[in-house]
Amino acid sequence: MPKFLLMVNHDGGEFEQPMDEWAPGDIAAHFDYYAALTEELVASGEMVQFTGLADPRLARIVRSDGAAAPVVTDGPFPESKEVLAGFNVVDVESEARALEIAARISAVPGPGGVPTRQPVEVRRVMDAVAFDL
C-alpha cells in the first residue's frame, strides 16, 4: 500500500487569530478532534506516524558543505510564509483515501467549533512505484 505524508502548516486557515488567543474550550476541542482522528486511524492500521512540531521560533537552519563546520542560524526566517506545524504519515489503499484523511484534518475545529479549513499538503512517500512515476 502506498504511504503519504500529510503536512499541516501554521496557516490558520479561516482564522487569523493565533491559537494561544482562542478560548480554552476551543483549544481543547481542536486537540480532542485530532486525538479522536488519530485513534481512529491507528485502530484501522492506516496511521504510521503523527507528529506535532514545537513553535517555529525554536527552529534552526543548518547549512554544511561537509568539510567546514556547519553554519547554524535561527529559523525560520521572517519572510517564510509557510511553516510546518505537524505531519501525519499514513499507509492507505489509495491516494483517494489519503485525500479523504487530509480533508478531515483540514476540517479540525477552530474558534466556536467552525472548521479551520487549514491547507493540508498531501505527498506520496517515495517507493519503487512512486520513483517510476
Side-chain angles (χ1 to χ4, degrees):
M1 290 196 309
K3 291 183 180 143
F4 290 86
L5 178 65
L6 312 178
M7 296 176 280
V8 179
N9 286 334
H10 270 276
D11 179 325
E14 296 292 309
F15 301 95
E16 291 186 27
Q17 179 185 25
M19 186 183 289
D20 60 1
E21 295 178 11
W22 294 5
D26 290 336
I27 295 171
H30 184 86
F31 286 111
D32 288 348
Y33 179 96
Y34 273 128
L37 180 58
T38 299
E39 186 176 308
E40 177 187 324
L41 295 173
V42 167
S44 72
E46 295 172 304
M47 180 67 75
V48 174
Q49 182 178 0
F50 166 74
T51 303
L53 300 174
D55 189 297
R57 291 174 289 189
L58 301 174
R60 303 293 175 257
I61 305 296
V62 178
R63 295 183 191 272
S64 175
D65 63 6
V71 175
V72 179
T73 57
D74 292 341
F77 300 105
E79 61 272 11
S80 295
K81 293 183 191 276
E82 296 178 354
V83 179
L84 190 63
F87 63 89
N88 298 272
V89 177
V90 294
D91 190 356
V92 293
E93 291 288 333
S94 65
E95 179 184 52
R97 177 62 178 144
L99 295 173
E100 200 176 287
I101 294 167
R104 292 185 60 200
I105 292 169
S106 179
V108 65
V114 175
T116 62
R117 295 177 44 121
Q118 280 183 291
V120 178
E121 183 177 343
V122 178
R123 301 217 13 219
R124 186 165 177 171
V125 173
M126 185 64 75
D127 61 12
V129 174
F131 187 75
D132 288 339
L133 295 176

